Amino acid sequence: MNIEDVEQLEKVTGQLEGLHREFSLLAKKSSTDALNGFKLKILNGFLSVANEILGAAYKPIEEFDLFDPDDVPSNSDATVVLTSYLEELERYRSDNIENLSGYYFYIFDDDTRVRTNPPKRLQNK
C-alpha cells in the first residue's frame, strides 16, 4: 500500500458512504423503486473502483461485480450491496493500519506513516 492507495481508499469509502445514506433514505420511502440510469451509472462507477481496491481477497459478494444496467436494481438492492462493500472496505483498511502508542497509522513499505482513525471495530487491533 502507498499514499495513492490510501487516498483512493478513503475517497471511494466516502463516496460509497454518501450513496449509502441516500439510498437508505430512498429505501425507507419506497424500497422497491428502481434506480434511474444516472444513479446506476454513478453507483457502478464507485463499485468498480472499490473492486479494484479490494481485489479477490476482500470481495464482499462472491457472484457480484457490478449491477447489470438491463436488470435495474431497487433502492433496497443498492443499500444491501453498499452495506457489504462498506464493511469490506473497513476490514481492508483495518488490516492495513497499526496501533503505535495509542495512535493508528497506515505504514508503508518505506516506513512512512500516515495517521488515521482507529478501526471501527477494535477487535484484534
Side-chain angles (χ1 to χ4, degrees):
M1 211 174 194
N2 59 39
I3 191 70
E4 291 83 16
D5 295 333
V6 168
E7 289 171 353
Q8 189 176 34
L9 170 63
E10 292 189 358
K11 180 179 179 179
V12 79
T13 299
Q15 291 167 325
L16 291 178
E17 286 172 344
L19 285 178
H20 185 264
R21 281 190 300 276
E22 293 300 318
F23 287 127
S24 293
L25 290 172
L26 291 171
K28 285 180 184 176
K29 291 180 183 178
S30 54
S31 63
T32 58
D33 281 0
L35 271 63
N36 65 36
F38 177 73
K39 289 177 187 168
L40 182 57
K41 184 176 178 179
I42 290 172
L43 176 57
N44 274 343
F46 293 159
L47 291 176
S48 178
V49 173
N51 285 333
E52 288 178 30
I53 292 168
L54 295 172
Y58 290 88
K59 188 173 184 175
I61 303 168
E62 186 65 32
E63 300 295 321
F64 179 84
D65 289 312
L66 299 173
F67 285 107
D68 182 350
D70 295 329
D71 185 19
V72 181
S74 68
N75 293 321
S76 178
D77 295 336
T79 302
V80 168
V81 168
L82 285 167
T83 299
S84 297
Y85 269 81
L86 289 170
E87 289 293 323
E88 282 303 293
L89 285 164
E90 177 57 21
R91 188 169 72 93
Y92 175 75
R93 187 185 80 83
S94 295
D95 287 350
N96 284 284
I97 61 176
E98 292 184 19
N99 182 343
L100 301 171
S101 302
Y103 297 100
Y104 289 86
F105 296 88
Y106 291 102
I107 300 176
F108 307 117
D109 292 337
D110 64 359
D111 287 333
T112 303
R113 297 176 181 164
V114 174
R115 192 165 168 193
T116 187
N117 294 320
K120 290 184 180 174
R121 292 190 180 102
L122 289 175
Q123 300 168 339
N124 301 325
K125 281 285 167 187

